Amino acid sequence: MQISNEKRGLREKKVGDVTVEKRRLVEVPYTATLAHTLNALVANRVVAVPVAAPPGHWIGAGGSMIMESDKQTGAVRKHYIGMVTMLDILGHIGGGDGFDFEGIMSVPVSSIIGHCLEGLSLWTLNPNTSILDCMEMFSKGIHRALVPLDSHMENISGVELVESASSYRMLTQMDVLRFLKEHASELNSVLSCSAGELGVIHETVFGVTDGTKVMEAIKCMKVASLNAVPIIEASDGTEDCTKLINGKGRKLIGTFSATDLRGCPVTQLQSWLPLSVMDFTEKVSTSPLHGSTNSRSPWRELVTCFAESCLGEAIDKAVAKHVHRVWVVDRQGSLVGLVSLTDMIRAVRISLLSDASVI
């Protein structure tokens, strides 16, 4: 039995093929305040930035040594010491003194690297790394990696903690899914299978009720290392709004995500934090930062699928709405679980490997 040349071609694609049109890396200096870092994230519509420092003074996250160096001389110009995400910023806000918001936002960004699990490591992927090896990394829960444009390291292909190059691009799980979506015609066998059939649905899902305050939700997300939680309809007035609750079987009415901060002007953040998560997301949905004043904007729209929905539909929705998970609901709109980008990438990779084994 032979697999198609098209699918063989997809398996032979490299990381460099995915990053060819990626824009210049957005980064912040280690001396930037948290407020300046949040402004950079909002202005560039990204959810994570690497932190750059002078060489020779820092140990990189996870022991990494990822350097930017001069293209001609190879002299090291800066050291990327870690990655800071929206969740790191949320975690710092949630763990600080709510009465000293200015003090919370004035700390140097370098002081919060690694506060959340994702920030404890910093990875690079060589452009010559195969798309399958890249997918293996992203199918294990790593969300992003730096890709050197002109590596000074020799004979390297794969995931590395040591790298030196004159410039980098950021590669994310979303970039890989978008690339796979462009090659959907080569992946019909897996994309046409249902989420339930593929076993990609996480049925354990914790959320917050619509009356939960933003600060309480942030604290819960920090403890559980969650980038987002479903907002579910409160059942009665006895539920503890300071804790995550089992969302399965409950009516799904919204999403509260670390990326919501992108829709909140830094100057307004302090006054928005005491709001309920539903009021906060409503304000976000009408924020000029998202270019829409329509309360039914895509930012507000629930992104869902059914257990019997095909994987291709879930991927299409995640890419089109630029969300990092798709909630799985039943026909009554009650929460069944979720499918994450990690799950989507893993399922496609398993399919590609399975097809390769029948050559």
Side-chain angles (χ1 to χ4, degrees), residues 113-256:
I113 293 174
H115 278 200
C116 295
L117 289 176
E118 191 175 350
L120 293 176
S121 58
L122 184 62
W123 305 93
T124 68
L125 275 171
N126 191 277
N128 294 319
T129 304
S130 72
I131 192 69
L132 279 173
D133 286 346
C134 168
M135 291 170 69
E136 179 182 19
M137 171 182 168
F138 284 153
S139 69
K140 293 179 178 178
I142 296 174
H143 296 159
R144 55 189 60 83
L146 298 180
V147 178
L149 288 194
D150 49 3
S151 174
H152 292 159
M153 311 297 288
E154 296 182 358
N155 303 317
I156 286 180
S157 177
V159 182
E160 293 293 332
L161 290 171
V162 179
E163 183 57 86
S164 179
S166 65
S167 61
Y168 295 84
R169 297 292 183 264
M170 181 87 80
L171 180 68
T172 68
Q173 286 182 320
M174 183 62 75
D175 295 323
V176 172
L177 270 184
R178 191 176 290 110
F179 183 77
L180 293 175
K181 186 176 182 297
E182 292 170 356
H183 292 79
S185 62
E186 306 165 36
L187 297 167
N188 285 333
S189 60
V190 64
L191 297 186
S192 60
C193 292
S194 73
E197 180 184 356
L198 291 168
V200 295
I201 301 173
H202 285 277
E203 295 187 357
T204 301
V205 55
F206 291 95
V208 296
T209 63
D210 48 349
T212 302
K213 301 300 183 185
V214 170
M215 281 298 295
E216 298 297 344
I218 288 173
K219 291 174 182 177
C220 291
M221 290 165 65
K222 179 184 179 183
V223 171
S225 294
L226 295 174
N227 283 288
V229 289
I231 304 173
I232 55 180
E233 199 170 63
S235 60
D236 53 46
T238 63
E239 289 180 315
D240 187 349
C241 290
T242 67
K243 296 179 180 178
L244 294 176
I245 58 176
N246 186 355
K248 189 166 184 179
R250 303 285 291 272
K251 180 74 171 179
L252 177 69
I253 57 175
T255 302
F256 180 69

Side-chain angles (χ1 to χ4, degrees), residues 34 37-38 41 46-49 83-95 109 112-120 141 143-144 214 217-229 244 256-262 324-325:
L34 213 56
T37 303
L38 181 55
L41 291 166
V46 295
V47 297
V49 286
M83 192 82 69
V84 168
T85 70
M86 286 288 193
L87 186 59
D88 291 310
I89 296 176
L90 272 181
H92 181 72
I93 293 171
V109 67
I112 71 164
I113 293 174
H115 278 200
C116 295
L117 289 176
E118 191 175 350
L120 293 176
H143 296 159
R144 55 189 60 83
V214 170
I218 288 173
K219 291 174 182 177
C220 291
M221 290 165 65
K222 179 184 179 183
V223 171
S225 294
L226 295 174
N227 283 288
V229 289
L244 294 176
F256 180 69
S257 170
T259 57
D260 286 345
L261 282 184
R262 290 188 309 188
H324 295 87
R325 84 286 314 153

